[in-house]
Amino acid sequence: MRHGVRLGRRWWWLIGFVVLGGLMSTLGARAMVDHGVAGALLAGGGGWGTVIAAAGFLVLRLASFVALAGAPALVLAWVWPRPRPARPPCTPPTAVVRARG
Amino acid sequence: MRRLRLLLVVAVLAVSLRWLPSAFCGREASALLDDDPALGLAMARRSERWHEARLSATDSMTGSERFDGEWLFGTSMMAALGHAQLARAHPRLRDEQVRAMEACIERLLTPQVRAFDRAAWGRDPLDDLGTDRAHAAYLGYLGLVLSVHRVLEPEGSYAELHERVMAHLDQALRTSPIGLVQTYPGEIYPVDNASIIGALALHQRVTGVDHRQVLEAWAERLPSLRDSATGLLVQAVSPRGEVVDGPRGSGTGLAVYFLSFGDAAQSSSLYEAMRTHMQRELLGFGAMREYPPGIEGRGDIDSGPVIMGVSISATGFSLAGSRIHGDRETFERLWSTAYLFGAPVDHEGMRSFALGGPLGDALMFALLTARPAGEWSAGS
């Protein structure tokens, strides 16, 4: 008898994307504020490092929202069992014996 | 069975793509529309923190000394309007917000903040009061802030300066052969004139000083400053009154805000043009075009980057327009976009926008606390 629910690897990936994506997006925004990335970006200071930090942050933020949007459909696809392909009709053993005959 | 499963998964994906991210990003829209004091205060505190940080023009280098100065000026000017609006929305916060507004005015009056205008005109704007040099870049916006302050504090300490600035702007508009005043020598922007009109109308209302001649002349002039096809405001005209930069979302969106202080009907008419011709939507996220449909153009210092036809400025300024004119649906969509790309961060009781910086935070503070149309005209 099984106790509890065991989640497969794909479930952990999904949870990771949604939760960590959101968390990283929030922490990233906080880091951007703390380090004055917006100010540096507007100022044209900080060089490519600033541009890459801001672009990376935006990509991460967009990805986390895409994960959020895709999550319900993925959950549905995984929870609803995939229909199995129909098996070929079973051949009765007597017919096999007769054929070998 | 297999087909039904596939259809259902695709349907759920479509519905969640359409609703989930925009609903998550827009979840504070109702609180903002209903003037949640906590959100307003958090933005006010952020602006005060920037103020305490003693920004200088070199903190916002745009590559242009003039634009650096404009942004420094704009940071204090928009923060001042934000504080005034918060004071107006929440009487219990009035005293503290008026004090914060006055700190912004003090900053606006410093030689350091006036420097960008002085550099362009070769004369200090406050020394030039009463002359034929309009200094709309500085005096037009300072005038609006002083008018709004006068509504809150009719006997306040800036009353005398306010009178002088209003008399100067009234005279400049009355004597202009084209009914518009210059922002910088040889440069005329209708949106800057809209700020002056808002300031003069408020001044007339609070003090009874007669600006009817100028306000009526503006009302007659305004249709010729609007694109005949869309009703949008043109961005710039020459000293002879010819259009040199056509209709734009950033200028129209900002004029909607400034005119709401003086003439709700003019503001509403421009907002309607924005809503009809410039609004775009994708998956529940709203944005505003910079150029009218069919016209492609590049971004500049007014619009910010223009991506797929929409601009940061036109979209941001329309947050105020939709609030002012009670367009909840548009506000919700625009706020979802502002949340997604602006990335607000709450910490230490303050709200900052990760991609905002000092000017962005001050702008969002003013735009997200803008008062409904007609409220300023209803008296103090």
Side-chain angles (χ1 to χ4, degrees):
Chain A
M1 189 176 166
R2 283 166 61 185
H3 295 280
V5 179
R6 283 195 65 192
L7 296 179
R9 192 184 295 167
R10 61 188 182 180
W11 287 95
W12 287 116
W13 273 108
L14 178 66
I15 293 168
F17 258 92
V18 173
V19 175
L20 279 179
L23 196 65
M24 293 298 286
S25 171
T26 306
L27 291 175
R30 177 69 196 273
M32 299 253 301
V33 169
D34 288 348
H35 291 92
V37 171
L41 200 63
L42 293 171
W48 282 104
T50 315
V51 175
I52 289 167
F57 166 72
L58 271 181
V59 167
L60 182 70
R61 193 165 170 83
L62 286 171
S64 70
F65 281 107
V66 169
L68 178 73
L74 275 178
V75 168
L76 181 72
W78 293 346
V79 166
W80 193 338
R82 190 188 295 268
R84 296 185 176 193
R87 288 185 176 178
C90 190
T91 315
T94 47
V96 175
V97 173
R98 272 187 207 144
R100 281 181 184 163
Chain B
M1 188 68 176
R2 182 179 294 195
R3 187 170 292 175
L4 176 68
R5 180 176 179 273
L6 183 67
L7 272 175
L8 207 66
V9 168
V10 169
V12 168
L13 183 64
V15 169
S16 53
L17 259 178
R18 169 63 183 80
W19 297 109
L20 213 53
S22 61
F24 183 84
C25 290
R27 66 194 186 283
E28 283 178 340
S30 287
L32 286 164
L33 282 167
D34 297 337
D35 297 320
D36 183 299
L39 284 173
L41 269 176
M43 290 188 283
R45 290 195 185 112
R46 176 73 255 197
S47 281
E48 285 175 80
R49 183 65 67 86
W50 281 123
H51 182 79
E52 288 160 11
R54 298 261 163 218
L55 297 169
S56 71
T58 51
D59 287 327
S60 59
M61 285 181 295
T62 58
S64 153
E65 204 172 305
R66 174 182 294 179
F67 294 145
D68 290 349
E70 279 186 357
W71 286 23
L72 183 66
F73 173 74
T75 300
S76 292
M77 183 246 163
M78 294 306 278
L81 292 179
H83 289 301
Q85 290 161 176
L86 201 54
R88 187 79 173 184
H90 303 288
R92 71 181 173 83
L93 301 176
R94 181 190 157 102
D95 290 348
E96 119 186 31
Q97 291 305 310
V98 168
R99 276 199 303 278
M101 182 189 193
E102 288 171 352
C104 293
I105 295 174
E106 288 301 321
R107 182 110 175 107
L108 289 174
L109 295 175
T110 58
Q112 182 199 11
V113 174
R114 303 201 302 265
F116 77 99
D117 182 275
R118 189 171 54 240
W121 286 91
R123 304 280 189 113
D124 188 275
L126 294 182
D127 293 342
D128 253 1
L129 286 172
T131 68
D132 60 358
R133 287 177 289 274
H135 292 272
Y138 179 81
L139 294 174
Y141 292 101
L142 175 70
L144 180 62
V145 170
L146 293 177
S147 285
V148 170
H149 181 265
R150 194 78 176 272
V151 174
L152 296 168
E153 296 280 314
E155 308 300 326
S157 52
Y158 301 106
E160 194 248 324
L161 174 65
H162 184 214
E163 290 301 321
R164 292 173 60 213
V165 172
M166 291 297 102
H168 171 86
L169 293 172
D170 181 282
Q171 179 193 310
L173 271 169
R174 244 183 312 114
T175 54
S176 164
I178 60 164
L180 298 168
V181 296
Q182 298 192 0
T183 296
Y184 300 117
E187 295 180 38
I188 298 172
Y189 304 98
V191 63
D192 296 343
N193 282 262
S195 165
I196 296 173
I197 294 301
L200 290 172
L202 265 186
H203 179 245
Q204 176 173 281
R205 214 164 285 137
V206 180
T207 63
V209 172
D210 190 356
H211 296 298
R212 274 179 302 173
Q213 186 187 340
V214 165
L215 296 177
E216 285 167 12
W218 164 263
E220 280 177 29
R221 183 77 171 90
L222 185 57
S224 64
L225 298 171
R226 297 177 67 173
D227 176 46
S228 56
T230 59
L232 296 161
L233 193 67
V234 300
Q235 195 83 344
V237 299
S238 74
R240 286 187 299 178
E242 300 144 341
V243 174
V244 291
D245 191 357
R248 298 266 297 267
S250 52
T252 308
L254 196 54
V256 167
Y257 176 54
F258 291 141
L259 284 173
S260 74
F261 290 97
D263 191 317
Q266 288 176 2
S267 169
S268 170
S269 169
L270 284 176
Y271 178 68
E272 208 44 46
M274 282 291 283
R275 208 172 69 88
T276 306
H277 298 284
M278 306 298 254
Q279 197 172 183
R280 295 188 71 179
E281 192 209 335
L282 180 67
L283 303 175
F285 291 91
M288 291 288 178
R289 294 181 62 92
E290 178 59 20
Y291 297 89
I295 299 176
E296 296 301 322
R298 302 178 66 174
D300 61 12
I301 193 73
D302 293 329
S303 66
V306 174
I307 300 161
M308 295 166 69
V310 305
S311 82
I312 292 175
S313 296
T315 303
F317 297 152
S318 295
L319 281 167
S322 53
R323 260 184 73 88
I324 290 165
H325 298 292
D327 183 358
R328 292 185 78 95
E329 204 179 316
T330 301
F331 179 85
E332 284 163 8
R333 287 198 291 260
L334 294 175
W335 169 247
S336 296
T337 307
Y339 182 94
L340 179 63
F341 292 104
V345 178
D346 295 311
H347 65 117
E348 297 172 20
M350 298 183 293
R351 166 160 287 200
S352 315
F353 289 84
L355 292 173
L359 180 61
D361 286 343
L363 276 167
M364 292 303 268
F365 177 32
L367 302 173
L368 292 172
T369 54
R371 306 304 301 145
E375 183 171 309
W376 291 104
S377 57
S380 57

